[in-house]
Amino acid sequence: LAYLDEKKLLPGIGSGFFALSEATCTSKELWSHFAAYLSNEYIKPDGTRGAGKPLNCTSAINYMNSALQQAAARFDKSETARAFFDCLDPKSTSQTRKWLVSLRDKMFNTMFIAAAKSGETMDHSAV
């Protein structure tokens, strides 16, 4: 996917995001790749807090949600897009909602395992 290779889909939602078509923005493949990028590759840029480090789980999932919400807003007149972006509705039982919940769980697990392997101190307050 050339648009991902160009790294235009950064957490700040670069201008390349707005050139993507409805078909692309409603593709599970796009969002799966973006989730993998945030979870496995993205490193905070110089000049930011935590520069040189990966995102934490909460930030990565928030970036994912924000990008999905922006895409949903762009195509809110399309019935096909509205059906896809139903995944954002916490009360939905649609297949796209189940897919998104699973994708976010995968992001969390991937990042948690990476943090544990790197020796990061874990917050066990939720355990």
Side-chain angles (χ1 to χ4, degrees):
L1 300 169
Y3 46 84
L4 290 174
D5 292 339
E6 294 173 21
K7 301 292 190 227
K8 289 183 179 177
L9 288 179
L10 297 174
I13 309 298
S15 62
F17 175 77
F18 297 101
L20 298 176
S21 70
E22 177 184 336
T24 300
C25 286
T26 56
S27 162
K28 289 179 182 177
E29 182 182 13
L30 168 78
W31 298 107
S32 295
H33 281 282
F34 187 51
Y37 171 69
L38 291 173
S39 302
N40 300 314
E41 297 177 36
Y42 183 76
I43 300 296
K44 295 176 192 175
D46 291 340
T48 62
R49 195 171 85 196
K53 295 182 179 180
L55 293 170
N56 64 43
C57 296
T58 302
S59 294
I61 290 171
N62 286 342
Y63 286 140
M64 181 75 169
N65 289 339
S66 177
L68 280 161
Q69 290 165 353
Q70 289 185 45
R74 283 185 57 213
F75 301 108
D76 66 340
K77 306 266 187 278
S78 162
E79 195 164 319
T80 302
R82 280 196 313 269
F84 178 81
F85 292 113
D86 181 57
C87 64
L88 294 168
D89 180 358
K91 295 179 182 174
S92 175
T93 59
S94 70
Q95 289 302 312
T96 57
R97 178 62 185 175
K98 292 174 185 172
W99 163 79
L100 180 59
V101 169
S102 175
L103 183 62
R104 290 191 304 209
D105 287 347
K106 183 176 179 182
M107 289 175 72
F108 179 84
N109 290 337
T110 298
M111 297 180 83
F112 188 86
I113 290 168
K117 284 182 180 178
S118 72
E120 275 188 48
T121 303
M122 300 293 172
D123 176 6
H124 297 286
S125 61
V127 177

